Amino acid sequence: MAAETKSIRHRVPGENRSTEDFWLRLDNAAKIYPAIQSEEMTAVFRLSVVLKEPVKISSFLKAVSLLEERFPYYKMIPRKGFFWYYLQHYNEKIPVMPDAGIPCRAFEKDQLYFRVLLKGSKVSVEFSHILTDGSGGFEFLRSLLMTYFEVCGLLAQGKKAFMRHDQEVSPEEFEDAFGKNFQTDLPVPVKVAKSFHLPFALKTTPRFGVMSFLVPLGEVITKAKQFSVSLTVFLVGVYLLSLQNIHSKLAPLKKRHSRKILRVQVPVNLRKMYPSKTMRNFSLFVTPEIDLRLGQYSFEEILNIVHHKMQLETDRKLISKIISRNVGAERNILLKNTPLFIKSLFLFFTYKIQGTSRYSGVITNLGKVSFHEEVDKFIDYFVFIPPPPNKTLKVNCGVIGFGDNLVLSFGNISASRELEREFITTLTRSGVPVKILP
Amino acid sequence: MICKNCLVELDDDMKRCPLCGTPVSGAGVPEEHTDHDRVVTPGLSYLEDAEKHVLQRILWQVTATLLVSGIVATIIIDRARHDTITWSLYPVTICLMVLSYASLFAFWQTKAIFRILAGWLLSTVFLIAINQYTAPSDWPVGLGIPLVFAVNFIALALLAVFHLTKRKGLNLLAYTFVAVAVLCISINGIISRYFTGVIYLGWSIIVAACILPVAAALIFVFFRTWNNPRLQKIFHT
């Protein structure tokens, strides 16, 4: 590991010396973001929690200050090296600011790459994907909330189900789990064909807009169980069905020339498959698909395909193959010794040309979250807003459940809300009530 | 009490919202919250100094062993072949000069400038003494002393530049390269002047032409990465 510190907690708190000492290599998933991020495609995601009461600001600020030194690996800013970007520790206070309502804004240069936002009873954290993924960000939010509840006197001392402010920082928390679980000499995964993309025009800048919908979790799970599939499979099925409906509504000539493979990217949290405590990026994708060249699919057929495809692709050996390809590319002797400016150009154009050409959409389900019975009663619901999609994908979706509330958030940079409309109509037609969140 | 702007709950005694700064109606005094304590790591410079001295002595032992072995071997071979000291005088002189520098740097705990000056003096004395021991000729004045002068002068200049440089990183390597280029030119000039009577620069220009672009590239990288002078971070692959 790069910044090999046995106990970060005892070194990082110093001022300039520790700031110079503590640095990290970017993890495998983060390596592409510095090359492709922009004002519009920020690579920033947001996790929000809506409480039942307004936030008590003095207790909240105290909770934040208690956590100042608990997550040193998030107090980093990306810097240019000669061959790679790296993360440099930046001993600034955790930025807490009023929520101006514009989600997932880009971070300024020389600013920490995460922020905490507040408005009324809503607490949000925004992270750049350079630092972590949704699971890492959620652990931070959990820790912040639990500390807040503890400061408010709502949680008995000594609950250990979260990362406590007085706990030692373990080096495992900032390890590059991809590198740790990398196996050499594995065969390369099969290349897949390019897929269909939403034909919508882009909005004028700033493009990114979000619509969130609240649905009763119990009812969606009941619907999923009727088809004997999981919640994630059910939602991916609805997403693919919505894409199929959009494809079928295309003008005949456009339909004829458009690609016929509908493929959805579904992030998988690898911490569930590999023993890792990392708080940095550690997720990969599975890609269920339907091929419209073979004809139209019923909802049941789609669910059946998605179910089996996800079962198949979440096999640990197959995941190892993908990790091996990704990390292997990073360790390629030619690539790793290429100066950064050439590498960045290469990554930028590769992403521009290929990037998401093989996916029609992304749906990220963080699953049903729960804190502790003592504090769950103070929480209304959670919202997860994925990073702004690129110009090829145009729309993506983030899902998170809490109690009986499931929140679906659609990030969209196009001028059309057709996908959202299709998705929600499919749910309401199946008898699931949907409420639009403000 | 609720903030009108960000809707968070304020304490009763707050005059303004600590989050957005909006004053509570009827209050005008800003409230400031204090920094929380930060732990400062104590300096460890005395331990680092002791470690440095131990390392210097070990380096001197290794250097001295190698040089003395070289001197003995050279003299034995020379004497075995010619029954007297002939060509071995020059490598022995160079080895003794290097040994004097190594000893001064290992054992004399003073400023580097004084150690270099002392080394310079010792080297010059060596050259003159050896010239006196053998058949006196003009090579110490024409070749030896000017070369020693060039090496020491450039080393001192480089040391001064290092000392004056506030931000140290790749720039020091670049300055060293420039010094090497200047030294090569000086050596080339001194040698050609001694043997031909005129200063003729040949090979040293080629060396300088190769080294100076590298130095320029290092300076460029240094200023490009002004905020991060640590090489391990910048050059990790």
Side-chain angles (χ1 to χ4, degrees), chain A residues 13-15 20 23 25 55 57-58 65 68 79-82 84 86 88 93 98 118-120 337, chain B residues 2 5-11 14 18-20 35-36 38-39 224 228 230 232-237:
Chain A
E15 291 296 331
E20 282 291 314
W23 65 280
R25 291 159 193 262
V55 173
I57 189 65
S58 57
S65 71
E68 284 291 354
R79 290 269 185 234
K80 276 183 186 173
F82 192 77
W84 293 108
Y86 61 90
Q88 173 66 58
K93 286 188 171 183
L118 277 181
K119 178 127 195 177
N337 289 301
Chain B
I2 300 288
N5 181 44
C6 54
L7 307 176
V8 294
E9 190 178 319
L10 306 176
D11 291 354
M14 283 177 174
L19 183 64
C20 64
D35 284 357
H36 39 278
R38 293 191 186 282
V39 182
R224 184 72 190 78
N228 308 294
R230 284 171 177 263
Q232 194 193 2
K233 281 188 289 192
I234 298 166
F235 288 98
H236 78 275
T237 57

Side-chain angles (χ1 to χ4, degrees), chain A residues 287-302:
Chain A
T287 52
E289 65 178 56
I290 53 175
D291 188 348
L292 298 184
R293 290 173 299 186
L294 307 175
Q296 293 285 300
Y297 289 76
S298 69
F299 187 45
E300 287 81 357
E301 284 174 324
I302 292 174

Side-chain angles (χ1 to χ4, degrees), chain B residues 17-209:
Chain B
C17 174
L19 183 64
C20 64
T22 306
V24 173
S25 49
V29 185
E31 173 155 322
E32 291 180 6
H33 42 99
T34 54
D35 284 357
H36 39 278
D37 297 333
R38 293 191 186 282
V39 182
V40 178
T41 316
L44 298 169
S45 58
Y46 73 96
L47 284 176
E48 284 162 7
D49 282 352
E51 200 176 310
K52 197 173 141 192
H53 292 155
V54 171
L55 189 69
Q56 273 179 347
R57 274 157 203 254
I58 293 170
L59 274 175
W60 179 84
Q61 282 173 349
V62 173
T63 313
T65 310
L66 288 173
L67 289 172
V68 171
S69 313
I71 289 168
V72 172
T74 313
I75 291 172
I76 289 171
I77 293 165
D78 196 16
R79 278 193 69 91
R81 292 201 61 172
H82 303 102
D83 250 4
T84 181
I85 291 173
T86 57
W87 57 267
S88 64
L89 188 67
Y90 303 103
V92 167
T93 309
I94 291 168
C95 286
L96 286 172
M97 280 161 61
V98 173
L99 186 61
S100 65
Y101 278 100
S103 307
L104 283 166
F105 273 82
F107 301 110
W108 195 21
Q109 302 306 327
T110 183
K111 286 184 177 175
I113 185 168
F114 295 128
R115 292 191 281 197
I116 290 179
L117 285 172
W120 188 351
L121 190 69
L122 273 177
S123 310
T124 311
V125 170
F126 266 131
L127 287 173
I128 294 167
I130 286 164
N131 191 42
Q132 290 302 315
Y133 168 76
T134 57
S137 74
D138 64 340
W139 74 264
V141 177
L143 196 63
I145 292 172
L147 284 175
V148 170
F149 173 82
V151 171
N152 283 281
F153 183 77
I154 291 167
L156 279 173
L158 187 64
L159 203 68
V161 171
F162 278 16
H163 184 69
L164 291 172
T165 306
K166 284 182 183 156
R167 216 172 171 109
K168 295 178 171 65
L170 279 178
N171 53 341
L172 298 191
L173 198 56
Y175 301 151
T176 310
F177 277 15
V178 173
V180 169
V182 174
L183 183 63
C184 288
I185 292 170
S186 308
I187 291 170
N188 195 185
I190 291 165
I191 292 173
S192 64
R193 173 93 170 65
Y194 178 73
F195 286 108
T196 63
V198 289
I199 295 173
Y200 172 75
L201 302 180
W203 60 269
S204 63
I205 296 296
I206 298 166
V207 173

Side-chain angles (χ1 to χ4, degrees), chain A residues 205-228:
Chain A
T205 53
R207 295 195 180 98
F208 189 54
V210 179
M211 274 187 94
S212 294
F213 303 91
L214 185 76
V215 295
L217 180 61
E219 289 194 38
V220 188
I221 290 177
T222 309
K223 282 284 156 205
K225 277 185 180 163
Q226 280 175 11
F227 294 100
S228 306

Side-chain angles (χ1 to χ4, degrees), chain A residues 4 36 48 51 78 124 189 203 249 253 256 263 278 283 299:
Chain A
E4 298 53 38
I36 61 164
S48 304
L51 305 177
S124 304
K203 266 200 307 200
K249 284 180 196 166
L253 195 65
R256 194 184 165 83
R263 190 180 293 118
T278 189
S283 49
F299 187 45

